[in-house]
Amino acid sequence: MNSHPLPHWDMTPIFPGLDSPEFEAAGAALTAALDELGQYFDDHAVMLRETPPAIDAATVAVFEGALTGLDAVSTQAHLLYAYITGFTATDSRNMLAQTRFSEFARHRMTLEKLNTRLTAWLGSLDADALLAASEVARAHVYAIHKARVQAAHLMSPAEESLATEMNLTGGQAWAKFYDNYTSQITARVALDGESRDLPIAAIRNLAFDADRDTRRRAYEAELAAWQAHEMPIAAALNSVKGQMLTLSQQRGWDSPLDVALFNNHIDRETLRAMMAAAEEAFPVFRRYLRAKARALGAERLPWYDLFAPLGEIRQAWTFDRCRDFILEEFTAFSPRLGGLAERAFAERWIDAEPRDGKRGGAFCMWVRADESRILANFQPAYAGLGTLAHELGHAYHNLTRAGCTYIQRQTPMTLAETASNFCEVIIRDAALKTAPPIEQLAIIDASLQDGTQVIVDITSRYLFEQELFARRDARELTAEELCAIMTESQRATYGDGLDSDLLHPYMWAVKPHYYSATFYNFPYMFGLLFSLGLYAHYRDAPEDFLARYDDLLAATGMADAATLTARFGIDTRDVEFWRASLGLIVEDVARFEKLCAAL
């Protein structure tokens, strides 16, 4: 047990409350700033132009005023968004927070329209001439090049404006519905001889329980809960994906996947190389799953044993122990990283307690400057330690970008997972150094659980989304069809590593990523394997690594992935790089098998 209740995050350093004069004043200031910037855009015709202006001093001045103005108002808007999310993510029944979120949606819509206008205008300019004439442009060179590509995929100004407005009651509304609706789902499960109603996040945490029958009952209760709520969730998924298909087609993209690749700063060649290496590694992961099944006395591993703990952790990973361990090991790696973690715990950046109305899973959100907030649904197991380390890695990434403009900070998911996965590896290797064999087994197993999720399960989710888009182009899909696609995707990736009759057909309902973005899956694989590649560099030359590593993190929004990874001699389009990173996981599987045999 923890020595005190799990912490809730503290939002009061930002504003005293959602109904405080300070919050109201910030909202009014944002409204005024948006109005002023909109007037500036109107006065200087910052919009799609049939005849682009010449790059002279006047045009450069307009550009710099528009870009710096948009950057400033985006920073203001982000702070309000993060603050409101601090309440909606932890209590979907907070009606004041829901009201504030709805009010803020209008500001987001206005900001999106201004972004689109600037993108269209930039797309018509002579980019090389602009970069030669403006220091502000040179500081945002990658954003300008991206804007030129985006501009080529814009609909007419009237259509883009309408699409932004309709999104409030379309995809954005369905995503909000999904978050609120699923956060309030509960399921009944028998625990300690007593039938109890628990939030779905708490039910899912029971997958880590040491008792096999508890895991099985939780799995059955979870599936039953998703089935009972499948219709509205399926409606949300169909709507989000249908809107994405329509907009990508109207904007001239070949497919939603091309939109995702562009947004993630990679190309199809990189994706093909990574996915090919992942598929080659499936037999190794299946070896791990079969070995785990044998260790648990099963012929085939059912889904509810995927996260079953093996080995023995002699001292429970309570929240307090996790905090102390993270602080010690992060500081040993880098005083800057250790200081960030110390601040996160001391200033109550972390919301750890699973509870009714709270969003499931875990995330880290940047709030302002070098400050973040971390949501977790903590379980007192090694996996709980890994999650905290992972999310604190995101917070460290945010710290390294504190000196960047808002536009420069816009990091794609492929690179946003770099520091988080890196921090998990730091913690894992530190835990293994002093652990006896029985604890090494538990740690290696937990690490392989994560690797299996990010390589094998992520591939199943990628296959699912590909098939979903292919079919959704013709019509809506029923919940039964969604379950069938998900099951087939899991069979294709897990193969004989799992009991094919005991999979998780409702993973499409579990993962919020499907409802807020397109192909939110493969960036996780990129992030894990890229961070493993970086960790290999660190082990070879730790003294040379740290400064280059921080510089890389600071620049993740300012170049494409291939350009940034080349700083470490990494070619993301070469399948050999991905094979080498997966080789570290292959070593872990061999070590896992030896430990199982020995113990």
Side-chain angles (χ1 to χ4, degrees), residues 236-249 254-261 461-477 482 485 489 513-522:
L237 186 61
N238 274 293
S239 299
V240 169
K241 298 310 181 189
Q243 176 176 301
M244 183 61 207
L245 275 165
T246 299
L247 289 176
S248 61
Q249 290 165 0
D254 289 339
S255 73
L257 178 58
D258 289 292
V259 180
L261 292 170
R461 296 182 223 166
Y462 173 74
L463 295 175
F464 168 84
E465 195 161 1
Q466 278 190 313
E467 185 66 16
L468 170 58
F469 273 122
R471 297 198 198 181
R472 182 63 185 86
D473 202 22
R475 62 173 175 82
E476 293 184 355
L477 282 77
L482 294 171
I485 298 171
S489 299
H513 315 94
Y514 289 126
Y515 303 82
S516 59
T518 299
F519 288 101
Y520 200 107
N521 34 58
F522 66 77

Side-chain angles (χ1 to χ4, degrees), residues 7 43 52 57 59 61 141 156 163 175 265 273 291 304 342 344 353 379 412 439 454 471 494 586:
D43 291 344
T59 301
V141 57
S156 71
H265 301 186
Y304 55 80
E342 184 174 9
E353 183 193 27
Q379 70 268 18
E439 290 194 7
V454 175
R471 297 198 198 181
Y494 283 100
V586 173

Side-chain angles (χ1 to χ4, degrees), residues 266-579:
I266 66 171
D267 54 26
R268 281 185 178 264
E269 192 177 355
T270 293
L271 181 64
R272 277 194 294 267
M274 182 179 71
M275 298 303 288
E279 187 173 354
E280 288 176 7
F282 287 170
V284 177
F285 285 98
R286 291 166 186 166
R287 261 177 48 207
Y288 154 65
L289 295 170
R290 290 194 296 270
K292 182 163 186 172
R294 290 192 297 271
L296 292 169
E299 184 177 348
R300 283 284 183 270
L301 202 67
W303 190 276
Y304 55 80
D305 281 343
L306 264 175
F307 304 104
L310 287 183
E312 178 184 333
I313 298 295
R314 295 176 180 175
Q315 184 180 353
W317 284 104
T318 64
F319 187 86
D320 293 345
R321 185 188 177 203
C322 289
R323 177 198 60 216
D324 295 343
F325 190 81
I326 285 171
L327 290 176
E328 180 179 355
E329 299 305 330
F330 278 14
T331 302
F333 171 79
S334 156
R336 191 183 188 198
L337 177 60
L340 177 280
E342 184 174 9
R343 185 179 172 198
F345 286 109
E347 297 181 12
R348 291 175 53 201
W349 288 4
I350 302 170
D351 195 295
E353 183 193 27
R355 55 193 184 275
D356 184 32
K358 181 179 176 181
R359 176 176 165 174
F363 67 79
C364 174
M365 65 174 176
W366 169 58
V367 177
R368 57 184 176 184
D370 59 357
E371 188 177 341
S372 300
R373 290 295 184 275
I374 291 167
L375 181 141
N377 283 279
F378 181 78
Q379 70 268 18
Y382 179 81
L385 171 69
T387 297
L388 286 177
H390 182 101
E391 301 306 334
L392 283 165
H394 282 302
Y396 183 71
H397 195 166
N398 293 337
L399 170 69
T400 64
R401 295 179 296 169
C404 299
T405 66
Y406 180 87
I407 293 170
Q408 291 169 335
R409 292 183 74 123
Q410 302 313 296
T411 294
M413 276 300 304
T414 41
L415 297 170
E417 292 299 316
T418 303
S420 53
N421 283 303
F422 195 95
C423 282
E424 279 197 75
V425 181
I426 291 173
I427 289 300
R428 192 201 77 143
D429 278 11
L432 284 171
K433 283 179 183 176
T434 58
I438 193 71
E439 290 194 7
Q440 289 180 28
L441 177 61
I443 294 166
I444 293 289
D445 179 43
S447 180
L448 286 172
Q449 288 173 21
D450 289 344
T452 303
Q453 287 297 292
V454 175
I455 306 301
V456 182
D457 201 70
I458 284 292
T459 304
S460 75
R461 296 182 223 166
Y462 173 74
L463 295 175
F464 168 84
E465 195 161 1
Q466 278 190 313
E467 185 66 16
L468 170 58
F469 273 122
R471 297 198 198 181
R472 182 63 185 86
D473 202 22
R475 62 173 175 82
E476 293 184 355
L477 282 77
T478 65
E480 184 179 4
E481 289 173 313
L482 294 171
C483 286
I485 298 171
M486 182 59 76
T487 301
E488 285 308 306
S489 299
Q490 290 169 353
R491 285 177 178 150
T493 52
Y494 283 100
D496 63 2
L498 290 183
D499 185 334
S500 61
D501 294 325
L502 291 169
L503 299 174
H504 198 310
Y506 284 97
M507 195 53 63
W508 58 269
V510 173
K511 296 298 177 182
H513 315 94
Y514 289 126
Y515 303 82
S516 59
T518 299
F519 288 101
Y520 200 107
N521 34 58
F522 66 77
Y524 280 104
M525 189 189 303
F526 187 107
L528 173 64
L529 297 179
F530 177 48
S531 65
L532 288 176
L534 285 179
Y535 196 72
H537 279 267
Y538 165 66
R539 288 191 304 189
D540 291 342
E543 295 173 0
D544 174 60
F545 179 84
L546 287 178
R548 296 169 64 205
Y549 176 61
D550 281 5
D551 288 345
L552 171 72
L553 294 179
T556 49
M558 292 185 270
D560 62 68
T563 299
L564 290 171
T565 58
R567 294 183 180 186
F568 286 87
I570 293 170
D571 181 0
T572 59
R573 300 181 180 98
D574 185 354
V575 70
E576 288 302 324
F577 165 70
W578 304 107
R579 286 173 180 152

Side-chain angles (χ1 to χ4, degrees), residues 213-229:
D213 197 48
T214 297
R215 296 195 302 272
R216 178 188 58 78
R217 291 196 305 271
Y219 163 80
E220 292 171 350
E222 183 198 348
L223 292 188
W226 291 122
Q227 184 176 22
H229 297 275

